Amino acid sequence: MKHVIIGNGPTGLVAAETLRRLQPEAEIALIGNESEPPYSRMAIPYFLIGKIADTGTHLRKGHDHYARERIHLIEGMVVKVDAKARQVEFASGERLPYDRLLIATGSQPIRPKVAGMDLPDVHTCWTIEDARAIAAKAKPGARVLQIGAGFIGCIIMEALAARGVKLTVVEMGDRMVPRMMTPKAGGMIRKWVEAKGVGVHVNAGVTAITRKDGALLAKLSTGEEIVADLIICAAGITPNMAFLAGSGVAVERGIRVDAGMRTSVADIYAAGDVSEAADFHTGRPELNAIQPNAVDQARIAAHNMAGGDAVSGGSLAINVLDTLGLISTSFGQWQGVGKQQGGSGVELVDEAGYRYLSLQFK
């Protein structure tokens, strides 16, 4: 049996290691498109803060781990999946056959279509290479503008603030972390970070970036202008699945999978951020781009690729965030449902003490 896994992040690696335990004699190929050993993007902020070296982001520390596990690491960009021929095609034109295929390509950062977004010193913070470039520029006192104050943006913000930069954040939504926090809670987080010296603009977007006097000048939709030495785009993520065009694999917002992580094409599975799996509460397909769901789905996919019949109980939104020392969490259907749908809720607020509780019921 030859298993091919596209994507060597936590999802792909956990799937590969699970397959090795289940099928000691199988061939396992793990494909990544970066010239790095498999690493965790969630560890990048710790690298930016300086708590770890870049090697500290590596998912497995043993230099011979993959050789011992007989997992064949391949560096390359997959541009096509030929389901009929049971092959994946690389940008180089090379092809690799498979018996079972797992798509674990995760997400990719969204870069808004804004003039100047491709200028030097404008970066996403998605890869370890991005992080190295940011670390070289984000020195104490540097003027840094961050586009986006969602979950990922706030994690990056935490690392930047620890580096002692002069930080400004611009968020298109009406509050910070709008997909995780209620209006009241998001407003309280904004108040907290502003008290820590971070400038925050909500209901605002960057409309253009230009060069001026050796620095970057960002124009906002509000008419304001911000001068920066470094701009970081954390405007969100989207599933990385464009290479599936013409494969026959059904996609919506992500790759549609059943409870066993099977796609619409036989012997092709998907797991992690790229998959659109049933929600634990509603049963509706949802994108839940968080690592606990991803590795759970990886194990389920691997068991079924090895001939088993594992079933997921459904993905669950679970987010925990440290924003400059203020801890917040939301999980499940935190936004609640209306009274007409049988919903009710209670909210307790202590703004002065930065304490907040919202409970939602149905």
Side-chain angles (χ1 to χ4, degrees):
M1 181 69 71
K2 183 165 188 174
H3 299 292
V4 172
I5 301 170
I6 310 174
N8 66 354
T11 308
L13 179 54
V14 168
E17 292 172 339
T18 304
L19 281 165
R20 173 55 66 225
R21 289 195 296 273
L22 295 171
Q23 293 189 328
E25 302 307 317
E27 291 184 56
I28 302 172
L30 185 60
I31 303 170
N33 65 356
E34 298 179 53
S35 57
E36 304 280 344
Y39 69 92
S40 170
R41 300 197 195 282
M42 295 304 294
I44 286 176
Y46 298 99
F47 166 70
L48 282 175
I49 291 172
K51 288 185 176 180
I52 59 173
D54 53 3
T55 54
T57 65
H58 294 172
L59 288 166
R60 301 292 179 264
K61 304 301 189 285
H63 70 280
D64 62 343
H65 176 78
Y66 301 100
R68 285 189 289 105
E69 291 290 312
R70 290 177 292 116
I71 296 172
H72 183 201
L73 297 181
I74 299 175
E75 181 187 344
M77 173 70 77
V78 173
V79 295
K80 181 181 178 181
V81 171
D82 187 335
K84 290 183 179 179
R86 291 175 172 262
Q87 295 178 337
V88 298
E89 183 177 324
F90 294 92
S92 63
E94 294 180 87
R95 286 184 162 231
L96 179 68
Y98 66 83
D99 293 314
R100 302 270 165 80
L101 175 67
L102 174 64
I103 302 165
T105 46
S107 301
Q108 59 186 348
I110 295 171
R111 292 184 72 102
K113 294 180 180 179
V114 171
M117 192 62 73
D118 57 350
L119 286 172
D121 298 325
V122 180
H123 299 276
T124 57
C125 187
W126 194 244
T127 67
I128 194 66
E129 186 177 354
D130 291 335
R132 292 185 187 114
I134 291 168
K137 195 75 176 179
K139 304 296 184 182
R143 299 165 296 182
V144 179
L145 170 63
Q146 180 177 298
I147 303 171
F151 181 79
I152 292 173
C154 284
I155 293 173
I156 297 168
M157 180 182 68
E158 174 90 5
L160 292 171
R163 296 183 68 86
V165 304
K166 185 179 179 182
L167 181 61
T168 303
V169 178
V170 174
E171 166 59 43
M172 290 188 68
D174 64 353
R175 60 191 186 274
M176 297 187 71
V177 274
R179 295 187 180 181
M180 174 182 166
M181 289 285 116
T182 64
K184 174 63 72 174
M188 291 171 69
I189 293 173
R190 176 187 177 180
K191 183 180 176 182
W192 174 273
V193 300
E194 287 178 331
K196 299 288 186 179
V198 178
V200 180
H201 300 255
V202 296
N203 292 312
V206 173
T207 59
I209 302 170
T210 56
R211 280 280 183 191
K212 184 178 181 181
D213 300 328
L216 295 165
L217 179 68
K219 296 183 178 180
L220 306 188
S221 57
T222 57
E224 297 170 273
E225 294 183 342
I226 298 174
V227 177
D229 303 303
L230 172 69
I231 295 178
I232 298 172
C233 180
I237 57 175
T238 187
N240 188 12
M241 57 185 187
F243 65 94
L244 290 174
S247 67
V249 173
V251 300
E252 293 291 338
R253 293 181 302 156
I255 299 172
R256 284 290 179 92
V257 294
D258 66 10
M261 301 299 114
R262 301 174 186 86
T263 72
S264 60
V265 176
D267 296 324
I268 298 181
Y269 299 73
D273 295 10
V274 75
S275 67
E276 195 174 4
D279 177 77
F280 173 79
H281 289 100
T282 67
R284 293 192 299 265
E286 295 285 354
L287 289 171
N288 272 328
I290 58 173
Q291 192 163 313
N293 280 332
V295 296
D296 185 49
Q297 292 174 354
R299 295 186 187 102
I300 290 166
H303 274 271
N304 293 335
M305 291 169 73
D309 191 25
V311 176
S312 169
S315 67
L316 180 64
I318 308 172
N319 288 297
V320 181
L321 183 64
D322 182 349
T323 313
L324 307 184
L326 182 64
I327 311 299
S328 54
T329 180
S330 67
F331 50 90
Q333 291 183 270
W334 59 267
Q335 68 274 31
V337 295
K339 290 183 179 180
Q340 291 183 338
Q341 288 77 45
S344 63
V346 61
E347 186 178 67
L348 301 177
V349 183
D350 172 9
E351 291 201 50
Y354 289 100
R355 295 185 297 176
Y356 173 85
L357 175 67
S358 172
L359 301 177
Q360 299 297 323
F361 304 94
K362 180 180 179 184

